[in-house]
Amino acid sequence: NEMARSCINPGPLYRSALDEEETQLYFNLCGRMERIMDLAQKEGVRVMVDAEWTAIQPAIDHLVLFLQRKYNRGDTPIVFQTYQTYLKGMHD
């Protein structure tokens, strides 16, 4: 974020960089999701993330990928994500 915010000429990356408050909110969300996944793992259930908020979809995808890498080890994956294939660009 600091690198994007320090650009001489603000461009798309500058406008998309999270500010301090947004960064804290994202980390809070990550912590809550990890607690949910810890409980799911303990109880032996799977979690399907079905989020389709186009404006923040990259953040959702990033979070789910992080959770999949952490929790989908071994024989029983527990984190799954849906994709809205009707959206433009989904087939790329």
Side-chain angles (χ1 to χ4, degrees), residues 9-38:
N9 297 316
L13 183 58
Y14 177 87
R15 289 188 294 278
S16 65
L18 300 178
D19 62 26
E20 273 188 50
E21 180 183 9
E22 292 168 328
T23 300
Q24 187 59 51
L25 290 170
Y26 181 73
F27 285 135
N28 291 345
L29 172 62
C30 291
R32 288 192 299 272
M33 291 297 293
E34 285 183 291
R35 287 192 297 277
I36 290 169
M37 297 306 155
D38 288 341

Side-chain angles (χ1 to χ4, degrees), residues 26 56-64:
Y26 181 73
I56 62 168
Q57 196 63 45
I60 294 168
D61 293 342
H62 180 266
L63 175 58
V64 174

